[in-house]
Amino acid sequence: MGEEFNETYITLGGFEGMENYRYLYFILVLTLCILSIYSNAIIVYIIWEHQNLHESMYIFIAAFSVNSLLVSINIYPKLLIDFLSEKQTVSYSVCLLQYFLCYCLGIVDLLLLAAMAFDRYVSICKPLVYPNIMTNRTVVVVLVFAWFVPASQMSVSTVLSAKQKVCHFVIKGFFCTNSIFKLHCVNSKVISVFGLVSCMFILGICPVFFVLFTYARILFIVYKSSNDVRQKAAETCLPHLLVLLFQSLYFVYLRPQHSTPNDMSEVVLYNPLFNPIIYGFKMKEIFKRLKKLFCYSDLTLGFNIYIQI
């Protein structure tokens, strides 16, 4: 291995023992990749196309789907290439980029979920002031914050990692997460403390507690309200809580060490495909337009076939 930054290559050890099943895994991951990209793109298209969905809640859902598309692009193409390769290697620079995107996009998801929680709180608990609080300007500021701040924070730890000397060249995983820190010759306390305090606690754990606290407040308030208010709260809050659950499981996979090929099941489980499924079937307005879209497509296809016959 060369010692220069652009000549250092890392071996991905998570593929050991999977040679006999590589094509099966390739087909499985390819299917998930296509479904994930297609379903998230459909959600974005539906919200973009219908003017009555241009509300803050649906705009945040569209942003969430865009972020899920970026997660899919970051993870799946490299996985597919590795399944068809004899040696699963990645340059250290690409490894750093994948690490940066994994955590940056994951934190963006948590911040967007926090924004959705606040939006639902104001809508359900303070409906009279909702139009004055959740303005277009507020939505834009929240979206800029949700993407810019994690990118800025993760850039610092990525640059600090890039300056570290690499003495180990094997990662026990399928792609680069914070396990890249184990490649360094010397463990940096600065990177560890910065990553723990700034990225994981402030931008990771705090949004989760904010979401849980906000929905707890909503449940407490709607418990004393009418059945209509309770139904509205259940229809709009449940999908966000389900997505928060799966997002938390996604971060479980991004733990520092994964050592067995069985962790491939986690890659399959914690993927962006769950988000559009949950929002597509649990959000009434989106589900209505999904049915219209696919019913219209089926009718058009059937009509074209009939004309050709």
Side-chain angles (χ1 to χ4, degrees):
M1 296 288 179
E3 293 186 358
E4 295 297 326
F5 179 80
N6 60 357
E7 294 180 356
T8 301
Y9 281 84
I10 309 301
T11 299
L12 301 173
F15 295 87
E16 294 178 0
M18 301 178 63
E19 294 81 4
N20 297 331
Y21 304 99
R22 64 166 66 184
Y23 296 110
L24 177 62
Y25 281 118
F26 175 84
I27 294 173
L28 178 61
V29 173
L30 178 61
T31 303
L32 288 172
C33 178
I34 294 173
L35 289 175
S36 175
I37 292 175
Y38 178 75
S39 56
N40 280 291
I42 286 292
I43 296 294
V44 174
Y45 168 76
I46 287 175
I47 295 173
W48 177 276
E49 186 69 17
H50 295 86
Q51 190 70 28
N52 63 331
L53 295 182
H54 292 183
E55 301 175 2
S56 55
M57 179 178 67
Y58 296 106
I59 292 173
F60 290 142
I61 291 175
F64 200 89
S65 294
V66 170
N67 205 60
S68 295
L69 284 170
L70 297 177
V71 172
S72 299
I73 294 171
N74 179 46
I75 293 177
Y76 290 118
K78 183 65 171 68
L79 267 178
L80 293 172
I81 293 172
D82 286 333
F83 280 127
L84 298 181
S85 303
E86 293 297 327
K87 294 182 179 180
Q88 292 76 30
T89 60
V90 60
S91 66
Y92 187 57
S93 56
V94 173
C95 197
L96 285 172
L97 176 62
Q98 196 172 55
Y99 154 78
F100 167 82
L101 291 175
C102 274
Y103 287 93
C104 179
L105 297 176
I107 294 172
V108 170
D109 276 347
L110 294 178
L111 293 177
L112 288 175
L113 286 171
M116 293 179 197
F118 179 73
D119 176 83
R120 291 300 84 205
Y121 173 77
V122 178
S123 175
I124 296 171
C125 303
K126 301 179 182 295
L128 297 180
V129 297
Y130 179 80
N132 297 327
I133 296 178
M134 299 307 298
T135 62
N136 291 335
R137 181 177 180 180
T138 302
V139 172
V140 171
V141 170
V142 169
L143 292 178
V144 171
F145 178 87
W147 266 302
F148 178 76
V149 173
S152 302
Q153 296 293 327
M154 290 305 304
S155 295
V156 175
S157 60
T158 304
V159 170
L160 291 175
S161 298
K163 294 181 179 180
Q164 294 291 311
K165 186 177 180 181
V166 177
C167 291
H168 310 283
F169 305 96
V170 177
I171 287 180
K172 294 182 179 181
F174 298 97
F175 54 92
C176 300
T177 60
N178 57 2
S179 52
I180 63 170
F181 299 149
K182 297 183 179 294
L183 303 177
H184 300 159
C185 300
V186 179
N187 292 330
S188 173
K189 293 184 178 180
V190 175
I191 298 177
S192 300
V193 172
F194 179 83
L196 181 64
V197 175
S198 179
C199 297
M200 296 308 298
F201 181 75
I202 297 177
L203 297 179
I205 297 176
C206 287
V208 172
F209 278 104
F210 176 80
V211 171
L212 295 176
F213 173 78
T214 303
Y215 284 124
R217 288 284 300 164
I218 292 174
L219 291 174
F220 177 77
I221 292 174
V222 300
Y223 178 76
K224 302 178 181 180
S225 304
S226 63
N227 290 331
D228 292 338
V229 175
R230 293 178 188 175
Q231 185 177 358
K232 177 185 176 183
E235 289 176 353
T236 58
C237 295
L238 182 60
H240 302 318
L241 290 173
L242 290 175
V243 171
L244 176 64
L245 173 63
F246 285 113
Q247 190 62 28
S248 301
L249 295 177
Y250 172 80
F251 272 101
V252 170
Y253 175 74
L254 296 181
R255 61 191 185 276
Q257 180 99 5
H258 15 266
S259 58
T260 67
N262 291 330
D263 284 332
M264 186 59 208
S265 60
E266 294 180 270
V267 179
V268 174
L269 179 60
Y270 312 139
N271 69 84
L273 181 60
F274 283 101
N275 302 332
I277 290 177
I278 292 172
Y279 285 125
F281 286 98
K282 289 294 183 181
M283 301 298 289
K284 184 185 295 184
E285 292 298 320
I286 295 178
F287 183 62
K288 255 191 332 188
R289 280 150 184 83
L290 275 173
K291 287 199 299 184
K292 287 183 180 179
L293 176 65
F294 286 106
C295 287
Y296 175 79
S297 301
D298 292 341
L299 288 173
T300 304
L301 178 61
F303 179 76
N304 291 336
I305 294 174
Y306 175 77
I307 292 297
Q308 292 174 3
I309 293 176

